[in-house]
Amino acid sequence: MYFAKKYCWLLLFFLIASCGNNLLPSGTDERAQVQPDTVGPEVGQKAPDFAVSDTNGGTVTLSSALASKRGVVLYFTMWCPICDSHMTQMVNTAVPAYPDVRFFAVDYVSGTVADAAAAQAANGFLALPVLADTEHTLLEGYRATMGTTVVIDNAGMIRMNEDYSNGSRLQAVLAGLP
Amino acid sequence: MMKLRIASIAAAVLLAGAAALFPAASWAGSCCGGGSAASLIVPKYARSVADISFDTEIYHGFWNQNWTHTPDPPGSDLRQYRVNFGFGQRLGRNWQASVIVPYVWNVNQYSGLSSRTNGLGDATLNLWYEALDDVSAWRVRGIKDLVPSVMIGPSIVIPTGYSPYDDIASSFDVTGRGFYRVDGNLLIEKTIQPWGISASLSYGTYIERSVNREYGKYVEPYKKKLGDRTSASVSLSYNYFIGSGGDTLTPSISYSYLNEADGRVNEADDSSTSFRKQAVGGGISFSGTDRDWSVRASWSHAIREDGWGKNFPTTDIFTVGVRYVFR
C-alpha cells in the first residue's frame, strides 16, 4: 500500500512536470520591447521582404502588395475548420470595410501552386487572393502558424502578428492604420 | 449464486456498454489538438478497474460554418494517435471515481509540409454516483425489472496537454485545449437479456482564462472562454453467450452528438470556436467467464455529408482497448 501511494505521487509529479503552462495561466503582459528599424516578425519591426507565387501564377512581393494601399493583411491557412471560419468572417467583414487594404490568404501546407489553387477552389475562396508559400518564406519569416494574422502598414511596419481569434483585434488595427 | 451470476453479467454488459457509449470526442490533431475524454465505470461489486486503449483518428475533411463538407487539401494525410490510460476506483457502495490520461501523437502530412509531434493530452477526472441499479432481467416479470441503471456525476477536464497558449512553435504541437472544463454527466443503461440499451448526456462549461501567449509569441493579454458543451449518445448492444462457460461477445451500434456554443474573447462573442459533430459507431467487446478481463474494438465515423456537422473535422476513430476489473 505504501509503495502504491508512492507510485501515485510519482505519477502525479510526472504528470504536472510534463504538461504545459495551462494549469496556472498567466495574464501578465510579457511582450518584449523591439528595437526600431530592425527587420523581424514582431509588432513594431520592419516586415521581412518576400517574393511568393499567388495561385494565378503571378509573383507577389511585399512592395507590390503594398503599392497604392494603406496596408496588407496576411492570413495563414491550412484549410481547416477554424481557418475556414476566420476567412469567411474576414471576407464578409474586413475585406469590404477596408477596400484600401490588400488581403491575402497564405497557404503554407500545399507543396505546389496547383495544389494551393485546388484547395482554394475546394474551400470556396476564389475571391480571396491566395499566396502559395511552398518554400515557407512567409511561414518562417513571420513565425506564423494556423490562424496567424499579420497586418503590415504602408511604411512596411508590422502592426499585428497574432491569432485571428474573433477578428476584433484585426478590425481595431485596421481602423488605426495611417 | 444466481443473483451473483446476474450481477456479474450485468457488470460485463455495463462494461461493454460504457465502452461503446463514449466514443472519443476529440478536437482535431490537424488543427487544434486534443486528447480524448472517454469514460470509465467500475462495475458493481468490483473494487477498481484499469483500462488502456489505443485510438487511431484519421482525418478526411471538415464541415465548414455553412454545414458544408469540404475535403482536406490534396495530398494530405492527417492522423492523431492516442493511448489512453484509465483507472477507476470504487469509493463506496454507490460512489466511484476515475481518472483518464491520454498521450497524443499528431502525424500530419501535406503535399508541402510534414510534421510529427507528441505530448500529454488533457486529463479527465470523473466522480459517479450510482443512483439506481439495473437487475439485468432475463424476463420482465414486473415493473422493477424495467428499472435501469442510472449514474450521475461531475467531471473535470484538466488542461495537462499542450495548448495554443503554451510555448510551442505551431498548431501541429497542440495536444490539448488549454482550458479547465466542468461537466455534469448522466448515464442510463438498461439490459433485458440479451439486449442492452444505454444513453448518456453531458453538459459542460469551460472556465475563463487569461491568455498572454499564442504559439510561443507573447501577445497583448486577454480573457478567453470556450463555449458551453453539450454531448449525448445512445447505443444498442446484443450479448452473445458463447458456449456454456459464460464468455460474452457483445456487438453494439451507437450514435453520438456533440455541440459547443460560441466562445468569448474579452466578453465579445467568438463564433470561430463553436462547432457541432454527429457520428455513428460500431463496436464489439469480449469478456471471459470470470469477467475480469475484457477486450474491445470500436469504430466511430463522422458522417461526411453536408448538414451533419459544423466547423469541425470529419474523422474516423478506430479504438482497441483492454480492461481489467479488480474484485
Side-chain angles (χ1 to χ4, degrees):
Chain A
M1 195 61 185
Y2 171 75
F3 179 77
K5 272 187 182 170
K6 204 170 174 182
Y7 177 75
C8 284
W9 281 113
L10 266 173
L11 200 67
L12 187 67
F13 175 77
F14 171 75
L15 193 69
I16 292 170
S18 307
C19 57
N21 303 319
N22 303 294
L23 297 178
L24 297 167
S26 169
T28 309
D29 192 344
E30 297 190 41
R31 290 175 293 172
Q33 291 289 325
V34 297
Q35 293 293 324
D37 296 326
T38 54
V39 176
E42 305 293 336
V43 173
Q45 289 188 294
K46 288 276 188 187
D49 200 4
F50 58 84
V52 177
S53 293
D54 65 18
T55 49
N56 294 320
T59 299
V60 177
T61 62
L62 178 59
S63 54
S64 71
L66 282 170
S68 68
K69 294 288 181 184
R70 285 172 63 210
V72 166
V73 174
L74 304 172
Y75 177 85
F76 287 78
T77 181
M78 53 190 273
W79 309 111
C80 67
I82 290 182
C83 310
D84 189 287
S85 171
H86 288 164
M87 289 160 70
T88 300
Q89 191 192 59
M90 191 171 76
V91 166
N92 291 337
T93 56
V95 172
Y98 296 94
D100 49 357
V101 172
R102 192 163 275 139
F103 290 81
F104 293 99
V106 179
D107 175 350
Y108 61 93
V109 294
S110 295
T112 64
V113 173
D115 280 353
Q120 179 187 17
N123 286 268
F125 287 100
L126 289 172
L128 180 67
V130 173
L131 303 179
D133 189 23
T134 55
E135 301 298 322
H136 299 157
T137 308
L138 293 165
L139 185 73
E140 289 164 10
Y142 290 85
R143 276 186 64 202
T145 188
M146 177 201 78
T148 298
T149 309
V150 177
V151 179
I152 305 164
D153 69 19
N154 184 257
M157 183 183 287
I158 294 178
R159 295 274 176 164
M160 171 181 171
N161 184 350
E162 62 186 63
D163 186 66
Y164 182 89
S165 193
N166 66 348
S168 58
R169 181 94 181 109
L170 173 64
Q171 292 280 356
V173 170
L174 291 176
L177 281 178
Chain B
M1 191 66 184
M2 186 63 184
K3 192 175 177 183
L4 194 64
R5 177 175 159 78
I6 288 172
S8 179
I9 291 169
V13 170
L14 191 67
L15 273 173
L21 196 61
F22 292 93
S26 68
W27 261 82
S30 61
C31 69
C32 323
S36 67
S39 213
L40 188 60
I41 304 295
V42 183
K44 208 76 183 176
Y45 307 116
R47 186 162 46 94
S48 54
V49 60
D51 186 284
I52 186 165
S53 64
F54 179 71
D55 299 329
T56 299
E57 185 161 16
I58 301 171
Y59 297 79
H60 303 286
F62 62 90
W63 298 288
N64 68 14
Q65 290 281 305
N66 301 320
W67 305 73
T68 304
H69 185 258
T70 308
D72 278 333
S76 60
D77 181 10
L78 317 177
R79 293 169 185 236
Q80 186 179 77
Y81 301 101
R82 295 182 291 268
V83 174
N84 307 296
F85 302 94
F87 185 79
Q89 175 69 46
R90 182 162 291 287
L91 305 175
R93 179 178 165 79
N94 294 317
W95 290 91
Q96 57 177 280
S98 62
V99 57
I100 299 166
V101 181
Y103 196 87
V104 178
W105 288 263
N106 293 321
V107 180
N108 297 299
Q109 176 73 51
Y110 292 90
S111 67
L113 185 151
S114 64
S115 164
R116 285 171 177 265
T117 54
N118 59 79
L120 210 59
D122 289 341
T124 307
L125 297 176
N126 290 280
L127 182 66
W128 289 104
Y129 174 70
E130 296 157 34
L132 288 172
D133 294 329
D134 177 10
V135 295
S136 186
W138 285 88
R139 185 181 297 168
V140 177
R141 292 191 175 85
I143 195 78
K144 74 176 175 56
D145 291 331
L146 293 172
V147 173
S149 151
V150 176
M151 301 179 70
I152 54 173
S155 62
I156 180 165
V157 174
I158 301 170
T160 46
Y162 288 100
S163 81
Y165 320 112
D166 274 306
D167 187 14
I168 58 172
S170 96
S171 61
F172 296 120
D173 300 330
V174 171
T175 59
R177 299 198 68 189
F179 288 82
Y180 288 91
R181 190 181 77 231
V182 179
D183 291 276
N185 307 298
L186 169 69
L187 172 58
I188 302 171
E189 296 195 326
K190 181 61 200 169
T191 301
I192 297 174
Q193 294 292 356
W195 293 94
I197 188 167
S198 53
S200 76
L201 186 65
S202 293
Y203 187 83
T205 189
Y206 288 93
I207 309 297
E208 186 181 67
R209 62 164 286 175
S210 299
V211 174
N212 70 347
R213 180 161 56 180
E214 294 166 348
Y215 301 107
K217 284 187 295 200
Y218 285 109
V219 296
E220 185 180 333
Y222 60 90
K223 298 274 189 184
K224 184 166 185 174
K225 181 182 186 296
L226 299 175
D228 288 356
R229 168 182 281 230
T230 308
S231 65
S233 64
V234 290
S235 77
L236 177 69
S237 59
Y238 187 93
N239 300 304
Y240 287 103
F241 294 97
I242 303 166
S244 56
D247 292 352
T248 313
L249 195 64
T250 308
S252 60
I253 54 171
S254 64
Y255 162 82
S256 62
Y257 167 93
L258 175 65
N259 184 77
E260 210 164 276
D262 287 356
R264 308 277 290 169
V265 173
N266 282 342
E267 296 300 318
D269 272 353
D270 178 11
S271 62
S272 69
T273 61
S274 65
F275 63 79
R276 184 172 296 176
K277 176 191 182 184
Q278 294 180 83
V280 292
I284 191 159
S285 70
F286 173 82
S287 59
T289 309
D290 60 9
R291 315 289 174 204
D292 289 344
W293 287 97
S294 68
V295 293
R296 65 186 186 279
S298 65
W299 169 51
S300 174
H301 172 69
I303 300 157
R304 299 200 289 268
E305 299 287 340
D306 296 350
W308 286 86
K310 178 190 164 197
N311 198 23
F312 203 81
T314 49
T315 65
D316 282 303
I317 305 169
F318 301 92
T319 302
V320 289
V322 60
R323 190 168 289 190
Y324 185 77
V325 174
F326 298 88
R327 304 287 172 187

